[in-house]
Amino acid sequence: MKDNNVANLHYREPALYEAGNPHSDFAQAKMVQMAISRYGPAPCREILDVGCGTGRDLAFLTGLGFQCHGVDIERAMIDYARRTYPGASYRTHDMRSVRLGRRFDAILCLGSTLTYALTNKDLSQLVQTFSVHSRPGTLLILGFRNAANMLADETTLDPRITEYNLNGFVGRSVAYYRLDHHRQQIIRRRSWFIDGHNYDDDYCSYRLIFPLEIEYFLANGGFHIVKKTDTLTLDDSDLSGWRMYIIARFCGTSSE
């Protein structure tokens, strides 16, 4: 989603994003593999990743034999994915309006992607994107920051300092957060100090999404939730963890 609420150096420098978010164990992609094995349609061949970023998860899933397709609004991310993980198909699109004219066996929306749907209209449009690319039985796998945890954690709004000395990037970032109660959002502003240069134009707004809230929007889009958890191993949980994972199955009728 490309709006004035996002200016992220990570998205302009995908190698920096991967350096700061290593995920060398592919834990998130392995969670997707587990969810498809446990809840997905059989056979499950084609996967669409909405907000695919650098394509790292799709690289892992392509290696398992899935036919993977990724969309992301950030052209730099898509260009990086094509160069670095060429096994999947990638396109640049806005997640609210992308229409590929086909349906998939599984749809992913992970990382921070869902929380960029700041308004109810944005979130409804995103769910519609899921719906029009689904057939009965399509599995939807969502991962996002758990708002219930954020509001309970007193450290959520504390400044965060991250040091970098990876992949040619030497420096640090300092992130500051504030809560906008009226808009149900966390706003982050971040300053970067890399190789003697200061980058201040880095800010993002994230919607706070609660479990029952996303259940309502998904139901309106024809999806039935089969699993809610806060663990990458898909265990039963009290949903208090810092990330929420939702597994849903499409039961409605695709339009458009």
Side-chain angles (χ1 to χ4, degrees), residues 17 28 51 57 109-115 142-145 243:
Y17 172 85
Q28 185 169 259
D57 286 340
C109 188
L110 303 169
S112 298
T113 303
L114 195 74
T115 58
L142 305 178
F144 54 94
R145 187 70 160 90
R243 291 199 70 81

Side-chain angles (χ1 to χ4, degrees), residues 30-47:
K30 290 176 181 177
M31 179 274 291
V32 170
Q33 178 189 12
M34 184 187 307
I36 290 174
S37 175
R38 191 176 297 179
Y39 304 108
C44 181
R45 297 189 180 92
E46 289 198 278
I47 295 174

Side-chain angles (χ1 to χ4, degrees), residues 184-243:
Q184 197 174 310
Q185 295 174 18
I186 290 282
I187 292 89
R188 185 196 70 209
R189 287 196 169 272
R190 184 166 54 186
S191 294
W192 292 87
F193 306 90
I194 299 176
D195 294 330
H197 298 286
N198 184 4
Y199 302 87
D200 283 321
D201 62 332
D202 189 304
Y203 51 86
C204 290
S205 297
Y206 301 101
R207 180 182 182 131
L208 297 174
I209 297 178
F210 296 88
L212 288 180
E213 179 181 24
I214 191 60
E215 185 172 350
Y216 172 82
F217 280 92
L218 291 179
N220 283 345
F223 290 93
H224 171 69
I225 292 178
V226 297
K227 185 70 177 182
K228 287 190 285 190
T229 182
D230 56 20
T231 74
L232 281 168
T233 51
L234 303 182
D235 297 326
D236 292 336
S237 64
D238 63 3
L239 305 182
S240 64
W242 80 279
R243 291 199 70 81

Side-chain angles (χ1 to χ4, degrees), residues 57-238:
D57 286 340
L58 292 186
F60 178 87
L61 295 168
T62 298
L64 297 177
F66 293 104
Q67 299 173 36
C68 296
H69 307 263
V71 298
D72 200 285
I73 193 62
E74 298 292 342
R75 182 170 296 279
M77 287 288 205
I78 291 297
D79 290 343
Y80 180 90
R82 286 172 175 159
R83 292 193 308 270
T84 311
Y85 306 113
S89 169
Y90 302 101
R91 297 187 185 184
T92 304
H93 281 292
D94 187 314
M95 65 185 183
R96 295 166 297 185
S97 57
V98 56
R99 297 294 182 265
L100 300 178
R102 58 191 302 184
R103 298 185 176 95
F104 297 85
D105 301 311
I107 299 175
L108 319 179
C109 188
L110 303 169
S112 298
T113 303
L114 195 74
T115 58
Y116 286 140
L118 297 181
T119 68
N120 288 340
K121 181 180 179 180
D122 290 334
L123 192 50
S124 294
Q125 289 174 333
L126 177 55
V127 172
Q128 182 69 0
T129 290
F130 301 151
S131 297
V132 301
H133 294 100
S134 297
R135 60 173 68 92
T138 290
L139 200 68
L140 176 65
I141 304 172
L142 305 178
F144 54 94
R145 187 70 160 90
N146 182 8
N149 169 270
M150 293 182 79
L151 295 183
D153 183 357
E154 294 181 356
T155 68
T156 294
L157 301 180
D158 289 350
R160 297 180 189 176
I161 300 174
T162 305
E163 303 286 343
Y164 290 84
N165 189 5
L166 294 165
N167 296 351
F169 293 96
V170 179
R172 64 189 175 96
S173 66
V174 183
Y176 302 90
Y177 300 85
R178 68 179 178 87
L179 179 62
D180 187 328
H181 293 85
H182 289 282
R183 292 183 175 86
Q184 197 174 310
Q185 295 174 18
I186 290 282
I187 292 89
R188 185 196 70 209
R189 287 196 169 272
R190 184 166 54 186
S191 294
W192 292 87
F193 306 90
I194 299 176
D195 294 330
H197 298 286
N198 184 4
Y199 302 87
D200 283 321
D201 62 332
D202 189 304
Y203 51 86
C204 290
S205 297
Y206 301 101
R207 180 182 182 131
L208 297 174
I209 297 178
F210 296 88
L212 288 180
E213 179 181 24
I214 191 60
E215 185 172 350
Y216 172 82
F217 280 92
L218 291 179
N220 283 345
F223 290 93
H224 171 69
I225 292 178
V226 297
K227 185 70 177 182
K228 287 190 285 190
T229 182
D230 56 20
T231 74
L232 281 168
T233 51
L234 303 182
D235 297 326
D236 292 336
S237 64
D238 63 3

